[in-house]
Amino acid sequence: MSRIGRLPIEIPAGVTVAVNGREVSVKGPKGELSLTVAQPLEVSVEENQVLVTRPDDERESRSLHGLTRTLINNNIIGVTQGYTKGLEVVGTGYRVAQKGSSVEFALTVEGNNKLTVSGIDKQAVGEAAANIRKIRKPEPYKGKGVRYAGEVVRRKAGKAGK
């Protein structure tokens, strides 16, 4: 049995989890998220816990069991605490400035070389940060570009002089 999938998910105060057929919706102080559960799995809410069960030990059921439990847990964490991803802009001539905001995520600018992507959906926050990083990846010779906060860029030696 899946070690992660069989663990119950505690529902914190202020969060409501509703199961409607295959649709699991989580409502909390920061917003609302929903998830469609894959076919063989069953989700139930008992007392103050969410339980994910599988009907058989088929390979597909086993692989989806832990995944589904983690996705529901990520939604609960998202509507209570939210997720943030920090980015740093390194190099001369590179800077960042805040100009407006978006519905899906918020950009916060600290100084002119740091920014933070935050939101309630873990996948959307990670994807937005990855798309921003993709604009100018850190290069290995001088280390210039956009990198995640705390990311270590492996540096290469340049051409050897005469």
Side-chain angles (χ1 to χ4, degrees):
M1 180 125 190
S2 170
R3 293 182 196 163
I4 300 285
R6 71 175 176 215
L7 296 174
I9 305 168
E10 295 293 325
I11 302 173
V15 176
T16 58
V17 178
V19 180
N20 186 10
R22 296 256 154 248
E23 196 73 24
V24 177
S25 54
V26 180
K27 216 179 271 188
K30 290 195 177 247
E32 181 180 352
L33 292 170
S34 63
L35 171 76
T36 305
V37 178
Q39 187 55 45
L41 301 175
E42 296 294 326
V43 177
S44 61
V45 178
E46 295 174 9
E47 295 169 16
N48 225 13
Q49 296 180 334
V50 178
L51 298 171
V52 180
T53 55
R54 65 175 193 242
D56 51 27
D57 277 345
E58 294 289 323
R59 183 176 193 86
E60 186 180 358
S61 301
R62 289 195 321 254
S63 66
L64 291 171
H65 193 196
L67 172 71
T68 303
R69 188 250 181 223
T70 303
L71 291 175
I72 294 170
N73 191 43
N74 287 347
N75 285 353
I76 291 174
I77 292 171
V79 297
T80 53
Q81 302 165 8
Y83 290 100
T84 59
K85 198 89 164 166
L87 294 162
E88 297 171 351
V89 181
V90 179
T92 351
Y94 295 151
R95 61 188 182 88
V96 74
Q98 184 174 3
K99 293 181 182 173
S101 63
S102 176
V103 178
E104 291 294 317
F105 60 91
L107 282 176
T108 336
V109 178
E110 301 123 23
N112 60 355
N113 65 345
K114 291 185 181 181
L115 67 131
T116 307
V117 180
S118 59
I120 61 172
D121 190 354
K122 186 175 189 177
Q123 196 241 336
V125 168
E127 192 172 337
N131 287 336
I132 292 170
R133 182 182 183 271
K134 194 174 14 174
I135 293 169
R136 182 74 66 202
K137 288 184 183 174
E139 53 99 13
Y141 297 103
K142 291 186 178 178
K144 293 166 63 169
V146 179
R147 62 176 77 163
Y148 296 118
E151 179 183 4
V152 177
V153 176
R154 287 188 63 187
R155 302 289 297 270
K156 292 183 178 179
K159 284 201 258 180
K162 287 190 178 180

